[in-house]
Amino acid sequence: MCGIIGYTGKKNITDELVAGLEKLEYRGYDSAGIAYCERGKLVTVKAVGRISELKKLTDGLRPDSSCGIGHTRWATHGKPTLANCHPHLSYGGKFAIVHNGIIENCRQLRLLCESRGISPISDTDSELIAHLLEMYFEGDLRKAADKVAGMLEGSFAVGILCSCRPNEIYAFASRSPLAIGEGRNFCALASDGNALSGAETLVFLKDGESALLRPSGAEYYRKGKRINPQSAPFSAASALSGKDGYAHYMLKETYEQPEAAARTIAALSGIKLRGALSFIGCGSSYHAGLSMLPLACHACSRPAQAQLAGEFLCSERVKSRGTTAVLLSQSGETADTVAAALEAERRACRTFAIVNVASSTLTRVCGAHAVTRAGPEIAVATTKGFTSQVVAVAAMLARGTLAESTERLPFIMEKALEAGVSDEAEEASRLLAISPNAFFIGRKADYGVALEGALKLKEITYIPALGLSAGELKHGSISLIGEGTPVVVVHTDPRLREKTLLTVASVRARGGFVIAVTDDRDVCAACDLAVRIPSSDPFLSPAVSVIPLQLIAYRAAVLLGRDVDKPRNLAKSVTVE
Ligand code: F6R
């Protein structure tokens, strides 16, 4: 959550910082700000709301310095107000800082500041870092920063500007990603390497490392000593791309799914997942693991379970030698999932990350990893991230005819895109858009997809949607079903036909309006509205059946005039536990 940027070079600093923040806006978008030096003094420009609000204030500014830092916020400590917006200045105005992460011991640090007569003006944990820097500064920025970094508990990536060194940025990080990019006559930092287009090389700071950025390049330090970390060339292919004529990133990314799946299957088919499997993730990534359980357990005879990362962290610490904890994460930065990976290691599990961002934290903390080939995902609501995880698991588990069926998935996904724009799917969007609530149900692999369908609808339309195992409906939730309540039934496994037909009948008997997403003619006939999807192996169907659900939710959100790519209260990567 939150994105930080820094630049020192030759270009107009306000334009550079705002352009960088626009690329990071997916990480948080409730307020944004920048800081730079003007005639020896630190200046901040801040705005509540989207980066476009900040841009209105910075357009036309021509500061005399070409060095600065910026931040786009997803509120954790305190509301999105100007006072809470970064960059934060120290009490004497000597330091400006931007921070990504959470300072766990902020209460003690606030007391320490107050005991020295410093009254923070914001509710944030981050502001304290600025005050501490000025408190411990005795002329050497690096020494002061190292001292402050040593006092912080939690996760942090920090960029610092000091009025006495107006062309330099100092940065340090621990448990929060921070990339340093070097290019011709400039050096920059960002909490996502993809935002550093133009850089020739990238270095990701490891926990406890710091960097001093000058236009001529960066110096790196660990425990006060100079180090030479390995740099990687910046891959232009991974730079954040545009919408290519689509109205929204979510729509573009939905349509990219067959290709993303094909690339992922081709890249990962040679890799094998060993032992008993425990799929761990959050949100859609958890749903992807859940929907692949039948493949692991029934088709591949593996003991397997799916767990929410947050729940795994709270569960009894039992050693599970021989189990492979498969950490699923599009971003590879989700705090709960990263913490679960560390916890899984403590429980003697093998850890294997499936991520979409090759340079992400999870790849560094897990014993092994595989990278899906979805390409950058910008829309906050995941689409290709989900299906790439599903096909990645399939590619690494399926053998024989199932492996052949996996290879065919991208073609079937193409057809599922057509199902997603059928008249019936459009009708489903219209109905859902005017409904006060909705249900999504399914069994086995379809259960994970039902949860994902409900999540897609609620996160981008704000319509309360409940995802349930179809068998669970009768155990209480059916009391919510009345005349016209939309119930989306996902059905892809012919062995479950009779059960599905029974559930459909019991919903319709209570006035519910049943929308089927299925390839089954009998189920179609039994429902009020049917979105006919192409047939696929029931163990692999989540990569197919989810696609119409994404498009139905997308269209409902557009009908309601929602901000599809940046829904309220959300951010793309949740880097707080
Ligand atoms: C929903 C969504 C979230 C993420 C979750 C985990 O559309 O995107 O539920 O799936 O925050 O994120 P990653 O996969 O990056 O760990």
Side-chain angles (χ1 to χ4, degrees):
M1 303 327 232
C2 302
I4 66 177
I5 192 94
Y7 172 91
T8 177
K10 292 206 152 86
K11 295 197 180 154
N12 180 299
I13 190 61
T14 54
D15 294 350
E16 263 319 284
L17 293 176
V18 171
L21 289 177
E22 279 172 337
K23 291 183 190 141
L24 294 171
E25 197 171 15
Y26 73 90
R27 297 177 72 94
Y29 35 79
D30 55 39
S31 53
I34 59 170
Y36 52 87
C37 232
E38 181 85 310
R39 292 189 205 94
K41 277 203 158 160
L42 290 173
V43 177
T44 61
V45 186
K46 304 181 183 189
V48 172
R50 301 287 160 93
I51 310 287
S52 50
E53 296 303 313
L54 177 68
K55 204 167 181 211
K56 286 181 197 157
L57 303 178
T58 59
D59 266 352
L61 292 181
R62 292 277 170 272
D64 59 20
S65 125
S66 288
C67 174
I69 52 178
H71 187 273
T72 178
R73 181 163 185 254
W74 186 86
T76 52
H77 288 71
K79 292 195 166 148
T81 59
L82 278 185
N84 289 335
C85 182
H86 299 221
H88 292 288
L89 290 176
S90 58
Y91 55 92
K94 202 179 266 303
F95 292 93
I97 70 99
V98 285
H99 165 226
N100 186 185
I102 294 276
I103 305 300
E104 285 161 8
N105 57 337
C106 64
R107 276 160 60 92
Q108 293 95 301
L109 298 177
R110 184 171 280 265
L111 289 175
L112 172 66
C113 287
E114 285 168 355
S115 72
R116 305 277 181 101
I118 303 159
S119 308
I121 54 168
S122 75
D123 305 316
T124 65
D125 49 351
S126 313
E127 183 193 345
L128 306 169
I129 301 172
H131 298 317
L132 293 170
L133 281 167
E134 181 144 355
M135 207 189 279
Y136 293 110
F137 182 66
E138 290 171 350
D140 186 333
L141 169 58
R142 196 152 56 77
K143 268 199 183 146
D146 287 352
K147 161 108 183 142
V148 173
M151 295 170 75
L152 305 180
E153 288 169 20
S155 59
F156 44 86
V158 178
I160 305 166
L161 206 57
C162 178
S163 58
C164 44
R165 313 271 284 266
N167 294 320
E168 294 179 0
I169 302 170
Y170 197 72
F172 58 81
S174 185
R175 290 171 51 202
S176 192
L178 194 60
I180 314 287
E182 292 187 43
R184 196 174 294 218
N185 299 323
F186 81 90
C187 198
L189 64 83
S191 33
D192 176 347
N194 289 324
L196 295 176
S197 48
E200 282 152 20
T201 56
L202 281 189
V203 168
F204 288 87
L205 288 192
K206 295 204 175 80
D207 289 0
E209 289 180 357
S210 57
L212 177 64
L213 283 71
R214 297 196 183 99
S216 54
E219 288 171 5
Y220 297 90
Y221 298 90
R222 164 172 281 279
K223 294 191 176 141
K225 296 224 161 59
R226 258 313 267 279
I227 53 167
N228 277 321
Q230 245 190 348
S231 67
F234 182 83
S235 137
S238 71
L240 303 180
S241 51
K243 285 189 234 161
D244 291 349
Y246 287 93
H248 297 98
Y249 279 109
M250 183 179 171
L251 189 61
K252 174 184 172 229
E253 289 160 6
T254 300
Y255 275 88
E256 284 172 348
Q257 290 181 103
E259 263 194 46
R263 285 195 302 266
T264 302
I265 294 163
L268 305 189
S269 292
I271 302 173
K272 286 190 176 64
L273 285 172
R274 291 186 291 146
L277 301 171
S278 179
F279 296 109
I280 301 174
C282 297
S284 299
S285 294
Y286 164 70
H287 298 158
L290 189 65
S291 72
M292 286 286 96
L293 274 187
L295 173 79
C297 298
H298 303 159
C300 305
S301 309
R302 296 288 189 84
Q305 57 178 334
Q307 297 180 81
L308 286 162
E311 288 301 315
F312 175 74
L313 287 170
C314 304
S315 63
E316 197 73 21
R317 188 174 283 184
V318 181
K319 294 261 184 241
S320 313
R321 216 172 287 284
T323 296
T324 303
V326 182
L327 288 307
L328 292 157
S329 175
Q330 188 283 129
S331 62
E333 300 296 349
T334 301
D336 281 336
T337 313
V338 172
L342 298 170
E343 178 59 23
E345 299 242 326
R346 282 192 284 272
R347 296 185 195 183
C349 298
R350 277 187 292 265
T351 50
F352 189 99
I354 300 180
V355 296
N356 189 42
V357 180
S359 53
S360 58
T361 305
L362 265 182
T363 63
R364 295 191 287 274
V365 303
C366 287
H369 66 268
V371 181
T372 56
R373 303 297 200 270
E377 195 178 60
I378 313 295
V380 164
T382 185
T383 50
K384 58 179 181 170
F386 175 88
T387 45
S388 297
Q389 289 168 349
V390 165
V391 300
V393 172
M396 291 189 277
L397 280 181
R399 299 288 167 260
T401 51
L402 257 180
E404 287 162 21
S405 303
T406 304
E407 301 275 339
R408 281 197 297 276
L409 272 176
F411 304 102
I412 309 176
M413 291 165 77
E414 291 278 2
K415 295 208 179 83
L417 284 167
E418 288 166 27
V421 292
S422 62
D423 291 347
E424 293 79 6
E426 291 197 4
E427 177 65 12
S429 299
R430 277 193 291 274
L431 275 166
L432 289 167
I434 54 165
S435 297
N437 55 18
F439 289 80
F440 288 73
I441 58 173
R443 286 183 168 84
K444 284 180 80 177
D446 299 333
Y447 169 40
V449 175
L451 295 189
E452 180 59 9
L455 181 59
K456 286 285 89 76
L457 188 74
K458 65 187 152 194
E459 68 183 329
I460 59 171
T461 64
Y462 318 143
I463 296 167
L466 199 55
L468 285 170
S469 158
E472 271 295 295
L473 197 59
K474 56 187 176 293
H475 296 291
S477 306
I478 200 161
S479 66
L480 295 172
I481 290 174
E483 210 48 48
T485 306
V487 179
V488 179
V489 180
V490 186
H491 172 92
T492 62
D493 190 338
R495 288 161 294 199
L496 299 172
R497 180 180 298 124
E498 295 313 316
K499 283 186 190 297
T500 303
L501 289 173
L502 249 175
T503 308
V504 169
S506 65
V507 171
R508 294 190 76 197
R510 284 152 184 91
F513 185 92
V514 183
I515 303 166
V517 173
T518 183
D519 59 335
D520 187 306
R521 202 178 306 157
D522 293 344
V523 174
C524 283
C527 294
D528 296 287
L529 182 64
V531 177
R532 192 78 186 264
I533 56 171
S535 296
S536 55
D537 188 296
F539 291 117
L540 306 172
S541 62
V544 175
S545 55
V546 77
I547 291 176
L549 298 180
Q550 296 163 344
L551 284 165
I552 288 170
Y554 169 78
R555 209 172 308 102
V558 171
L559 286 172
L560 289 167
R562 304 293 192 230
D563 190 345
V564 176
D565 285 337
K566 296 192 189 93
R568 71 181 182 206
N569 298 342
L570 297 178
K572 183 72 184 155
S573 103
V574 185
T575 53
V576 290
E577 274 182 42

